[in-house]
Amino acid sequence: MNYNYSKLLVKEDSRVVLSNFPTLEDGGYNKKSAKEEIKNNIKELKKFQEMFYADDRYSLLIILQARDAAGKDGVIRHVMSGINPQGCMVHSFKTPTKNELEHDYFWRHYRELPQRGMIEIFNRSHYENVLATKVNPQWILNERIPGYGSVDKIDQSFWDNRYESINAIEKHLYNNGMRILKFFLNISKEEQKQRFLDRINEPDKNWKFSSADLQARSQWDDYTAAYEEMLSKTSKQYAPWYVIPADKKFFTRVAVGEIILELFKSLDLHYPPAESPEILEKAKVRLENE
């Protein structure tokens, strides 16, 4: 299939309105054809990941952000299933610990960034610091930032400074060989409701449901505004955001996999040069004569 994924790209300095991006999209696939496409993508990703690791010039940071039940874990499980674990890591960021709050908000994320040749997936990320905290600004007070001792001190300039800082850090990383892909999985409120109900109604899925999920759902409009501003302010050519339709899981997985493949293909990856033919021939003769 030749789906135009540029439709899902957030253009730099554009004003994002999430309702303009689809949630219910199949890209021309059905479950069967998507499964086959994902299988093919996994084979290609495996090939490129080996070359990426051997090339050892770049690293890759994949950021997944989404509302609850949008399918981040499923994307990681399906899209990256063929990747050699030696070359790929996944990190899920939860509520900051006491020790993490003793540092600036990016500190715990910086520690998990990938080294050259490696792929790192952030399941949630530093962007929670302009999403969850923007919807719940009282959480900022836990950071004890000078000059921000009360919620009424946290104004728009505070958030603009954070967007600017994140952009600067990501540009620095890009300039030093890291490639960054950012995916927002765009689920509809109706589909989220159904997935929550499935988790409640099916005993094997009960563990996936948390009553805290309903608190975030009750703040749906506030989160929508926070996502829109974050996407508008932080999608850059060096670190683009893609808004991926998430109501049909099979298309979500196809889309993320193919966008990652497009990046790999753009990097002119190659294996490092082998030793000279003469040295290889001598080694061969020596081994054969053992």
Side-chain angles (χ1 to χ4, degrees):
M1 304 271 180
N2 293 313
Y3 186 84
N4 181 12
Y5 291 105
S6 66
K7 295 190 297 185
L8 308 179
L9 173 67
V10 176
K11 294 179 175 59
E12 188 167 346
D13 298 324
S14 64
R15 181 178 177 274
V16 172
V17 178
L18 278 179
S19 60
N20 292 338
F21 287 86
T23 60
L24 188 64
E25 171 67 74
D26 60 20
Y29 295 92
N30 54 38
K31 286 186 178 181
K32 184 178 180 180
S33 62
K35 186 176 181 179
E36 189 62 30
E37 186 71 7
I38 292 168
K39 184 178 178 180
N40 292 334
N41 287 346
I42 287 170
K43 288 181 181 177
E44 277 207 88
L45 281 171
K46 182 178 181 180
K47 177 185 70 176
F48 276 107
Q49 186 258 337
E50 183 179 277
M51 196 181 302
F52 184 80
Y53 181 82
D55 186 280
D56 201 31
R57 289 181 297 150
Y58 300 99
S59 59
L60 175 60
L61 176 63
I62 298 170
I63 293 173
L64 297 175
Q65 289 288 155
R67 303 180 198 265
D68 297 311
K72 299 188 306 301
D73 292 337
V75 165
I76 295 168
R77 188 168 58 252
H78 287 81
V79 175
M80 310 305 288
S81 61
I83 295 294
N84 184 340
Q86 186 178 1
C88 181
M89 300 289 288
V90 179
H91 197 92
S92 298
F93 292 97
K94 307 298 183 182
T95 302
T97 65
K98 184 177 185 297
N99 180 51
E100 288 168 344
L101 287 170
E102 293 298 327
H103 300 79
D104 70 273
Y105 70 86
F106 207 95
W107 177 77
R108 64 176 182 151
H109 307 285
Y110 209 101
R111 295 171 70 211
E112 305 300 333
L113 291 174
Q115 65 191 55
R116 296 188 193 283
M118 293 290 291
I119 301 168
E120 180 79 33
I121 303 170
F122 281 2
N123 185 344
R124 301 192 191 276
S125 68
H126 45 283
Y127 282 98
E128 289 298 309
N129 297 282
V130 290
L131 292 170
T133 55
K134 195 167 194 302
V135 175
N136 303 279
Q138 68 276 14
W139 295 348
I140 291 291
L141 304 184
N142 294 329
E143 299 178 32
R144 302 191 306 284
I145 301 171
Y148 294 96
S150 62
V151 170
D152 60 5
K153 299 285 187 181
I154 304 171
D155 56 8
Q156 185 58 41
S157 66
F158 175 88
W159 301 112
D160 287 340
N161 285 336
R162 286 216 160 172
Y163 299 132
E164 183 179 344
S165 294
I166 289 172
N167 289 336
I169 290 169
E170 291 182 350
K171 187 172 185 180
H172 166 76
L173 297 173
Y174 178 90
N175 288 341
N176 286 274
M178 186 177 296
R179 295 299 174 258
I180 304 169
L181 287 175
K182 303 180 293 195
F183 299 101
F184 171 65
L185 308 188
N186 191 24
I187 190 173
S188 67
K189 195 172 185 179
E190 295 75 18
E191 179 63 18
Q192 187 195 60
K193 175 182 176 180
Q194 187 56 54
R195 292 184 190 180
F196 281 167
L197 288 171
D198 289 344
R199 291 178 176 185
I200 292 170
N201 292 330
E202 298 179 34
D204 290 347
K205 293 184 178 180
N206 287 170
W207 66 274
K208 292 184 175 183
F209 181 78
S210 168
S211 56
D213 296 341
L214 295 182
Q215 172 61 24
R217 182 173 170 83
S218 72
Q219 298 170 308
W220 185 277
D221 291 343
D222 291 336
Y223 268 103
T224 296
Y227 283 123
E228 289 177 340
E229 183 167 279
M230 176 270 289
L231 293 165
S232 300
K233 300 273 190 178
T234 62
S235 189
K236 304 294 181 182
Q237 287 186 338
Y238 53 82
W241 276 107
Y242 288 86
V243 179
I244 307 295
D247 282 5
K248 290 186 180 293
K249 294 179 182 179
F250 62 81
F251 179 68
T252 307
R253 295 162 185 172
V254 169
V256 171
E258 294 198 342
I259 292 168
I260 295 171
L261 274 173
E262 285 180 8
L263 174 68
F264 277 142
K265 291 174 181 177
S266 73
L267 294 180
D268 187 30
L269 299 172
H270 52 76
Y271 290 106
E275 292 186 322
S276 70
E278 292 79 11
I279 292 176
L280 292 176
E281 184 60 32
K282 287 180 181 178
K284 178 181 177 181
V285 170
R286 178 175 176 180
L287 288 168
E288 288 177 343
N289 289 334
E290 282 186 355

